[in-house]
Each structure stands twice: as C-alpha cells, then as structure tokens.
Amino acid sequence: MRAYKPKDDLQAKAYYTDRYYVAPQVPKSAVEDDEIFAADLEAIKAKFEVKEAYIQVEQMVIYINAHDIYGVLELMRDELEYTQLSEMSAIDWLAKDDTFEIFYQMLSMTKRKRIRVKYFIKNGQAVDSVEKLFRSADWSEREMFDMFGIEANGHPFMKRILMPYDWQGYPLRKSYPLQGDEFAAWYEVDKIYGKEARDIIGPEIRDTATVDRYDSERFARLGFEVPKGTKITGNEERNPQEYQEEGGVFLIKKYTKESSKVIDDPQR
Amino acid sequence: MAQVQNRLRPFFENITFDRDDNELVLNFGPQHPSAHGQLRLMLHLQQEQIVKAHPDVGYLHRGMEKMAENMIYNEFMPTTDRMDYIASSSNNYGFALAVEKLIGLEVPRRAKVIRMLLLEINRLMSHLFWLATTALDIGAMTVFLFAFREREYLMDIIEGYCGARLTHAAIRIGGVPLDIQDSFLHQLRVFLNKLPQNIKDYEDLLDSNRIWLMRMEEVGVIPTEMALSWGCTGPMLRASGVAWDIRKEEPYELYDEVEFNVPYSDKGDNFARYRIYMEEMRESAKILYQCIDMYDECVKNGETELMAHAPKYISAPKLDIMTQNYSLMQHFVLVTQGMRPPVGEVYVATESPKGELGYYINSQGGPYPYRLKLRAPSFWHTGILTDLLPGHYIPDVVSIIGTTNIVFGEVDR
C-alpha cells in the first residue's frame, strides 16, 4: 500500500525522527526582565487586550486580537516610538487548525528595540490594512495576498505583486507543491502558444533536477551529438567539441601553455 | 516538428497610451538597461513630468522562501547567494547569524574576524559596483571603468578565498569553512593602501562635475518621514537624516570592538546618497585595517578554531571525522538529515550594503524551517518609487533608480 500523504501539507518532511526525540525550545523570558519592554507592554495593555507576551532572542513577542491591529500599531508608532514596520507576513497553519498567523516586525530606533506583534486569523478571513500607518505595508500586504491569498481590508491596490496578475493558486501555502501545480505547468505554454499547442509542446518541466535517462537524443551523447529528430544508428561520427578551431581563427592566436604568461600578483 | 505560431503579445493591451486628458503612459522596462535588472515602471506623464508611477516587480521571482521550506538549513546557504548577488557573503552571513541565534551558538573569535573581513570586502564590492553602474547611467564612463577595476581586485581576493567571484557561499552556520589564504592579508593591504587615492579619483571626476551635480542635487529628495514609513534602511535612510546603522546600534560579531563612523546627511537627495556611499567606503577601509590587526592577534594568540563546537548541530572538524567514529556518525546524520534547531522563532537583522537584511525563521524542531521570511532592503527601496517619482522628470527616473541601489535578485527573491 502506498504511504498516505496529507494533501494540506506537501512540503518536505524529515524521513526519520527518533521516537524518543523531544525537540528543545528556544528559551523565552518574562517581559518584566526588560524595563523598556515592560513599559511598552503596559502602555499597550492599557488600551488593548494582550493575550500573551514574552521575550525571545532579545525581542518581545505579543499576541493580540486580529481587529486591534490598526490601533496597536498606531499606538506603537505615535506614542511608543516604534517608527518603522520592518516586515510583515503570514505563517500557514492551515493543516493544523485552519488558521494563519500574521506577524508584524516593529523597530524603534530611539529605544533600539524590536517587537513582533502577532495574531491569528481563520482561513478566508481578511486582515485590516495598516497601509495608512506605514507605507511599507502597501507592498508587504500585496506580497502576503500574492503568496497566501490573505486579503487586506482598506488596501488601495490589492493585486498580486511577484506572481503574474492572472496566476492561480497561492505559492507559499503548505498545500502548494514546490514544483508548482497543474496550472503552473501549462501557464507559459498556454500564454505563449495557446491551449491548442499543448499536445505538441507538452507541460513545462518545472523540476530543475529532472534528467530523463531514456532521452537518448539530448542526454549522454557527448561528442556524438546529432540534430534533433535524426534516427540513431549507433555508428554516428564523432563530433568533437573543440574549444578553439584547429586551423586557427584570423587574428586570434591559439592558446598554448608555453606561450602564456601567468600573473602572480593580481595587484600588478 | 510542426511550426507553432508564436502568440506572445505584450501584456498591456488594455492600456491606452494616448489619453484624452493629454496624459501619456510610458512603459519603462522590464528590459531597460538603467533599470538595474528586471524593473518595469508604468509612468503616467504630463508632458515630461511624471504624475503617477507604478513599479512592477516579480520578473526574477524564484520562490526562495518556498525553497527554504524544502531544504535543510545548510542546504539553503548557497541559495542565499542569489539574493543580493553583488555582495553575496552578506546574505550568507545574515542567514548564518539567524540560525546561530536560534540555536544559541557562539562562534570562535578567529571565524568572527574572517567573517568581518569578508563582510566589509563585500560592502566595498557592492559600493564600487553601485558607483560604477550609477555613474554609467548618468553617462560617466570613466568612473565605471575605474570602479570596476578596483572591484576586480577585491573579487580576485574573494576568489582566492572561496573559489567564486559572485556567489561566494563563503560562510557556514557556526563559523567559516576555511582559514584565509596566505596572500589574503597582503593583497588586501595593497588594495587598501591604494583605496584612498582611488576614492579621491572618483570624487575628482564627479564632485564638481556640472552634469553629475545637475542630475544629483535636489533630485529624488526623500523626507525623513517618508523614508521611515516606507521601511527604508541603510544608505537610503542615512541620507534622509537618520543615523541608523545596525552595525553600530545592535552590534553583531566584533563591530563593537572596531572604531568607525556612521556618515549621514539630512539632505535626502541623490547627491546625499552618493556622498554616503563614498564615505562608507572610507569607513569600510578603516574597519578592514582594524580587522587585519585583529586577525594577526588571533594568530599570535594561537586561536585556530574556525567552527563552533556543537556536536548536535555542527559537524566536527575534518580531522575528527576521519579519525573518530562518533564524529563520523554525527557528520553523517547532519549531512543526510540536517540539523534540528529548537522550536521557536527568531528575527535577525544585519546591515547589508543595501540596508537592513533580515531573516525571520520559524522552526518547529524539524530539519526544515517551517517558515522563513527574507526581509530584503531593496524590496522597499523599489516600493518607495511609487511616492518618490511623481513630480520628477523622465531623466530623473534613471538617476533616482541608480541611487536607490536596488538589486532585483533581492527584490523578487
């Protein structure tokens, strides 16, 4: 019987894990350990609900409610001096509990501190755009939409950014295969030559490591290459791949090791 | 084979180029030579003035974040080279540092010094490349040739170290794979001794050049608020009046032990950015001199370790692998299965030549990262063109793209 492969997570998996292996944790510390973070957390807690907060690898992580995000970031920007949104994106937890985790990486240059604001949304739910607060969210939210299919409410131009506008599927979801799906394999053929050319051209080979070892025309005929379509008899003439022509080329000297000069010192 | 009619048509059939209101839509790129890669700009023009700009990216998208989710940590290292391929060691370094922070590794001092040497050489390479290409865009062919000559010396040094000129993969998680070659420091010293004169040569050609000043001064002014809001970092932010350099503010490696200044300007225009690149080259040279001394000190103190000692995550030195059974077994498991960092997440920012290069890694304890987000500075430096270009004229587009120093391997990832 073939091994069952879950359809909602097609990414590479460890092929062997020790039965008794317990993964260690990156240590977390309490927010109270850091004065600045503790003060920031107090300020946020005064107005919004904070579900969880801790410090991990020198940065504070806080979990909030999805509908509070605009307010929290506004508070952080205007009152807590977190003036830059370095990065934002999503994490796919669809296979686990049908949710996405969204994170916003904030930077305060005056305090030299970084906070990661996070929340969960259900699959199909949209997030509130923070593009009005940070222009950088304009492109980040578009990228998130492009890669995960999460829309941002109130975004001025919610279109794909890295993939073509007419692309189907969301590449960074765990359910999307690494080499692309059926649509991806036909996309360029359909676009350039039309659907009717599918039979002639065939699907795009999207696995870059593919080697067809039964392809005797193009593979493993080094030095005996023949034009495509030629019938192979086994008595092909040798077709040597010379780096330089034997008779020499007009004005170009043939390279020999003896006549060449080696420069030892590249600085000259 | 039957001939197939090619139906490739431009993608902008739905755009009217001449509009009733006299607004012209100009399609700039994606194969424009001064776009520094695959940037397509849709420019709405009133006469020669831009009223609306719409940058379109994604022509070099290779899905690196997806690839990372399907690779073991060490396997991903050469892929990071392909982000900012002008200074690829800085990408390697950012990733290595992020994984080290996740695991909680301390790298041996000698490896740190070598890393700093590589990083600063990469910064110089990147800045020289920037100067060359931008000057060429503006029309200064001589500077292009001069700067490429100097960059060639640096690439030779790097080639001697790791065998590659552009895609170095010169840094490993936990240290560096090799000690620097014998000629490294000598060649570097020779280069650095010439560098001040070289920089002066460029400046003599450009600083008071009428054409250069007309294309640079008061063009592409980015106010501080705009730079912050758009997530600008690196020279783009420093030219807009914020002296923020991650090497100084959140020091990694041995940057807290070296002395250097952070040049910044409050002008925010193209010329300010140009001046910052020039000054940063001088500061990099200063750091490199100090790194050479630090390296000599390491040699004197007999510090030979190049990789951290952490058998769970890092393979033992080659000598141990060849002589000790347990080291060989560890090595075998680490190569075939990959290291398994602890469960947790980390965001680490480093100062790459272009700006803040950040790696967000979410590990679930497996040999593959569960989520890896690459924060590439050029992505936002391209985005800012939306707000920056309106009001400027067509020739300014070229000089503004030039000074933003965007690299499309990094924008599209």
Side-chain angles (χ1 to χ4, degrees), chain B residues 172-404:
Chain B
R172 297 284 179 278
I173 298 164
V176 286
L178 294 165
D179 200 1
I180 53 175
Q181 73 269 25
D182 295 339
S183 58
F184 190 100
L185 293 185
H186 167 70
Q187 285 184 14
L188 188 60
R189 267 204 205 94
V190 174
F191 173 82
L192 289 178
N193 291 341
K194 279 186 190 169
L195 187 66
Q197 184 56 44
N198 288 328
I199 296 176
K200 200 174 163 294
D201 283 350
Y202 313 142
E203 285 179 347
D204 287 348
L205 282 166
L206 295 174
D207 266 2
S208 51
N209 184 322
R210 213 158 36 142
I211 304 169
W212 184 257
L213 291 175
M214 277 165 70
R215 303 290 296 272
M216 288 291 183
E217 269 183 332
E218 310 286 319
V219 174
V221 180
I222 305 179
T224 313
E225 297 75 39
M226 188 171 159
L228 286 172
S229 170
W230 260 108
C232 284
T233 44
M236 287 278 278
L237 185 62
R238 290 196 281 277
S240 296
V242 184
W244 173 261
D245 187 323
I246 299 170
R247 289 176 296 170
K248 201 83 172 174
E249 311 293 335
E250 300 172 334
Y252 45 89
E253 297 306 303
L254 306 170
Y255 279 110
D256 46 353
E257 291 182 24
V258 291
E259 263 184 44
F260 64 102
N261 301 321
V262 178
Y264 72 101
S265 159
D266 47 11
K267 285 273 194 326
D269 59 353
N270 280 347
F271 195 74
R273 289 193 278 280
Y274 153 71
R275 288 304 317 162
I276 280 174
Y277 283 113
M278 302 307 267
E279 288 306 322
E280 276 194 9
M281 280 201 262
R282 293 201 169 94
E283 298 302 324
S284 277
K286 221 192 266 177
I287 297 173
L288 278 171
Y289 274 123
Q290 296 174 54
C291 287
I292 292 175
D293 294 342
M294 284 161 123
Y295 183 81
D296 289 339
E297 225 166 85
C298 284
V299 175
K300 217 192 303 164
N301 298 343
E303 293 165 26
T304 50
E305 289 275 285
L306 290 177
M307 290 287 274
H309 179 72
K312 264 170 83 183
Y313 305 110
I314 311 288
S315 291
K318 202 76 182 171
L319 184 70
D320 288 1
I321 293 173
M322 300 306 245
T323 53
Q324 292 176 24
N325 197 10
Y326 195 75
S327 296
L328 178 65
M329 285 157 64
Q330 284 283 8
H331 179 64
F332 180 77
V333 170
L334 285 174
V335 170
T336 54
Q337 296 183 20
M339 67 167 83
R340 292 167 198 244
V343 180
E345 49 179 18
V346 70
Y347 175 84
V348 173
T350 54
E351 185 77 22
S352 93
K354 311 280 183 298
E356 176 183 324
L357 178 70
Y359 284 81
Y360 168 82
I361 301 178
N362 186 318
S363 159
Q364 292 300 312
Y368 306 97
Y370 189 79
R371 173 89 171 97
L372 188 140
K373 182 81 182 83
L374 306 164
R375 192 256 186 233
S378 295
F379 187 70
W380 283 276
H381 296 172
T382 313
I384 200 172
L385 295 176
T386 322
D387 292 354
L388 184 57
L389 289 183
H392 286 91
Y393 293 88
I394 292 197
D396 298 337
V397 175
V398 173
S399 59
I400 289 172
I401 293 175
T403 51
T404 52

Side-chain angles (χ1 to χ4, degrees), chain A residues 16 90 92 118 143 174, chain B residues 66 340 345 370-371 413:
Chain A
Y16 173 75
D92 177 331
K118 303 177 94 179
E143 195 190 343
K174 294 278 175 188
Chain B
K66 186 78 175 178
R340 292 167 198 244
E345 49 179 18
Y370 189 79
R371 173 89 171 97
R413 302 185 296 284

Side-chain angles (χ1 to χ4, degrees), chain B residues 67-117:
Chain B
M67 285 159 78
E69 289 174 20
N70 289 278
M71 283 182 180
I72 63 174
Y73 285 84
N74 280 319
E75 206 179 349
F76 185 60
M77 188 58 83
T79 315
T80 58
D81 283 337
R82 276 79 182 164
M83 283 172 66
D84 175 7
Y85 41 77
I86 307 301
S88 50
S89 294
S90 51
N91 306 324
N92 299 155
Y93 176 70
F95 180 61
L97 185 70
V99 180
E100 282 155 15
K101 283 254 173 95
L102 191 64
I103 302 172
L105 274 187
E106 183 58 30
V107 176
R109 189 179 166 85
R110 185 160 176 161
K112 282 186 178 177
V113 177
I114 295 174
R115 282 174 167 199
M116 276 176 67
L117 282 166

Side-chain angles (χ1 to χ4, degrees), chain A residues 48-68:
Chain A
F48 302 98
E49 186 195 346
V50 176
K51 289 175 172 171
E52 199 189 345
Y54 55 84
I55 297 176
Q56 195 171 39
V57 202
E58 299 149 33
Q59 293 173 16
M60 181 163 80
V61 183
I62 60 170
Y63 283 88
I64 57 164
N65 287 316
H67 54 82
D68 287 338

